[in-house]
Amino acid sequence: MTKNRTLIWNILKRARQTSRHLTAEEIYLLAKKEAPGIAMATVYNNLNFLAETGAIRRVRRSDGPDYFDGNTELHDHMVCDCCGRVSDVTLQDLAARLEERLGVTITGYELNIHYICPECKKKELSVPSSNDTEASEENKTDG
């Protein structure tokens, strides 16, 4: 493994210990601290190689940058539609249940469950809606 690939691999291993999923840009910024001369293209090329070989997992997002996961054990992901946070979730025996129900052999799958995380839900509940603001403004002018 090349020096830069080892550096990127180690960054993802450290992130795995805290269940973090990192974007290429976040990995690049962390790599620059240890290898100031590293180029963004080098990070992308190595992430693509590691993902293609199964050494890491790519979490694809339609509305933002892909995330990379050093955890290659069977698990799925939950993606917050508000902040983009990616969390691991394990759905026991999903592939086996699908095989049984559909009568096919599952060779692999990627599942991203979209939701609103608890932190964003709290923020959503604490922010007054525009209707609430308009109603309070009307009450001020009526009185």
Side-chain angles (χ1 to χ4, degrees), residues 11-105:
I11 289 169
L12 284 166
K13 272 192 351 190
R14 287 192 300 266
R16 179 182 177 187
Q17 293 170 349
T18 59
S19 297
R20 285 196 59 215
H21 301 78
L22 302 172
T23 64
E25 184 176 352
E26 290 171 320
I27 294 165
Y28 169 72
L29 293 173
L30 291 168
K32 287 234 15 126
K33 291 178 182 176
E34 297 179 47
I38 195 167
M40 188 69 188
T42 301
V43 172
Y44 276 118
N45 290 336
N46 280 286
L47 287 171
N48 287 331
F49 176 83
L50 290 167
E52 288 168 9
T53 60
I56 64 171
R57 291 180 65 184
R58 178 190 310 265
V59 182
R60 296 188 186 276
R61 304 246 336 268
S62 61
D63 61 342
D66 291 348
Y67 281 76
F68 295 89
D69 187 353
N71 181 0
T72 57
E73 295 172 8
L74 182 61
H75 70 282
D76 302 298
H77 295 100
M78 294 177 57
V79 181
C80 177
D81 287 334
C82 294
C83 69
R85 174 190 221 163
V86 178
S87 304
D88 291 340
V89 62
T90 301
L91 303 171
Q92 296 295 331
D93 303 323
L94 179 59
R97 286 187 277 158
L98 287 171
E99 285 182 342
E100 184 180 316
R101 182 163 183 184
L102 301 174
V104 298
T105 301

